[in-house]
Amino acid sequence: QVQLVESGGGFLQPGASLRLSCAASGLIFSSWNMGWFRQAPGKEREFVAFVSWSGGMTRYADSVNGRFTISRENAKNTVYLQMNSLKPEDTAIYFCAAGGIVGSRTPSEYNYWGQGTQVTVSS
């Protein structure tokens, strides 16, 4: 059974940094592309970042490019999202997902999802 478990969310002030983790089990992690998405109240789930199975390719939403960094450690079956210079508009539930074609930004193209972790940015 595939499981993706996100952790690291919290309540932070604008300008702060935070690193999210997503631990995977039940799949050959090193063979899967991974993505981070987020969903704010009343809004659709949106793409945040993508990393290819090898870590050699990354993609970012324009809204986070230059502030967020996605990375992975295949030896630990874990993907990360380093978030810097956080803004109130980054407030959302953050989900990791496995699957997708290379560079995919479409939620429906991903096969497996975690339960999400809440990130709240407010002064």
Side-chain angles (χ1 to χ4, degrees), residues 11-93:
F11 187 101
L12 304 99
Q13 292 190 336
S17 297
L18 190 67
R19 188 177 80 160
L20 304 182
S21 300
C22 171
S25 61
L27 74 172
I28 302 175
F29 181 72
S30 59
S31 298
W32 287 79
N33 297 323
M34 298 295 295
W36 282 99
F37 291 78
R38 66 187 181 186
Q39 188 165 17
K43 295 188 177 182
E44 294 186 352
R45 192 167 298 190
E46 66 172 0
F47 168 77
V48 175
F50 165 91
V51 62
S52 62
W53 59 272
S54 68
M57 174 188 290
T58 57
R59 294 290 185 268
Y60 298 93
D62 289 345
S63 59
V64 307
N65 196 23
R67 299 188 297 123
F68 291 11
T69 302
I70 189 172
S71 61
R72 65 189 298 160
E73 283 191 74
N74 285 345
K76 294 185 177 181
N77 288 0
T78 302
V79 62
Y80 305 98
L81 185 68
Q82 176 67 42
M83 305 187 293
N84 298 329
S85 302
L86 282 162
K87 304 175 181 180
E89 50 264 44
D90 294 319
T91 295
I93 299 174

